[in-house]
Amino acid sequence: MTPLARWARAEWGLLYATVRGPLAKRRLRAVPMSVAAVCLTALLQFVQNQSWGYRFVQDVGSVRAADPLWTALRRTPLSLFVPALDLPVWGALAQILVVFGIAEVCLGWWRTLTVAYVATLAGTLYARAGIALGPRHPLGLPASDAWVVDTGPSAAVVGLAVVLGWRYGAYATVGVVAAAMVAEVVLKDNLAGKEHLAAIASVLALGATVVAGRRLDRRRRQRRPGSRAGSGRSGLPPIQS
């Protein structure tokens, strides 16, 4: 085995082993939520490119920092599946199918949607905070960004990729994803790149909170009368559901 193959096995072997069985046995039936997400994204892309449908999609799923907060929160769940008009939709569909699909197998559909929503919501809220801070602040944004539509599926995809990499020991992949987002901010200095960084920060904070909660719960159980120290589970793979 070559050094590159050994590295790839160490980096992605556990993730591959987790995903391979369900996908080989059931194929797309193993990821029904992800298939539905791809279909919904394709449908919204088609509708928003029609003269009669653009305003409808904007009203139900496009989020801007200029929108009232409650309007933005109401639109945020659907905004996960509204692709950017200026980017190829096939890229978004492929990202959703692959990343959402892997996450659905590994984490279950509801955890996948939770992480995706947290990542997207973090970007939405960051845009508001950044504009309030102003362009002179290191984390601030210019007022013109208030009218830029939020990232759509990309923040959710980035967040899920980081969670999967962290959980399954693909730390180099997590580093590459984070570095790519930093490079996007440095080279383009756009709202989308900064929202992606906010998404990464939010899912890492969510993951750290979950891990801390499990450790605290394990310690409490070990302190109960009759409990045996060390009987708790480690917490890594399986989470499939």
Side-chain angles (χ1 to χ4, degrees):
M1 185 181 292
T2 65
L4 180 59
R6 283 196 297 270
W7 177 85
R9 184 172 183 176
E11 181 74 4
W12 299 307
L14 183 58
L15 183 61
Y16 175 76
T18 303
V19 172
R20 179 184 177 185
L23 289 181
K25 183 177 180 181
R26 302 181 61 199
R27 299 186 182 275
L28 290 181
R29 289 178 298 163
V31 289
M33 183 276 293
S34 302
V35 173
V38 170
C39 294
L40 177 58
T41 303
L43 176 62
L44 290 172
Q45 172 70 3
F46 172 78
V47 172
Q48 75 174 347
N49 277 283
Q50 309 305 310
S51 58
W52 49 264
Y54 174 78
R55 178 48 54 190
F56 171 76
V57 174
Q58 293 295 301
D59 289 342
V60 299
S62 290
V63 178
R64 298 174 179 84
D67 297 330
L69 178 60
W70 291 113
T71 299
L73 293 177
R74 186 179 71 248
R75 293 175 179 175
T76 298
L78 193 60
S79 74
L80 271 72
F81 309 108
V82 178
L85 283 168
D86 58 340
L87 296 175
V89 67
W90 299 111
L93 296 178
Q95 288 178 359
I96 293 172
L97 182 61
V98 173
V99 179
F100 273 63
I102 293 173
E104 186 174 1
V105 172
C106 295
L107 307 176
W109 69 267
W110 70 269
R111 290 187 184 91
T112 298
L113 287 178
T114 298
V115 172
Y117 180 73
V118 167
T120 302
L121 183 61
T124 296
L125 297 180
Y126 161 73
R128 293 173 175 272
I131 290 167
L133 291 172
R136 295 185 179 181
H137 192 280
L139 298 178
L141 297 168
S144 58
D145 280 349
W147 301 99
V148 177
V149 177
D150 279 358
T151 57
S154 59
V157 167
V158 169
L160 286 168
V162 169
V163 167
L164 290 169
W166 185 13
R167 177 170 178 77
Y168 286 87
Y171 301 119
T173 302
V174 174
V176 168
V177 171
M181 298 305 102
V182 171
E184 180 182 10
V185 171
V186 172
L187 296 176
K188 293 185 177 181
D189 193 24
N190 58 4
L191 175 61
K194 293 178 180 178
E195 286 186 338
H196 291 158
L197 291 179
I200 291 174
S202 69
V203 297
L204 288 177
L206 177 64
T209 301
V210 170
V211 170
R214 286 179 178 172
R215 288 177 179 173
L216 181 61
D217 183 60
R218 193 178 303 126
R219 289 173 184 172
R220 287 175 178 172
R221 280 191 237 169
Q222 291 173 353
R223 290 173 184 171
R224 291 176 185 171
S227 66
R228 292 183 296 174
S231 60
R233 296 181 180 179
S234 65
L236 270 182
I239 260 197
Q240 307 128 318
S241 60

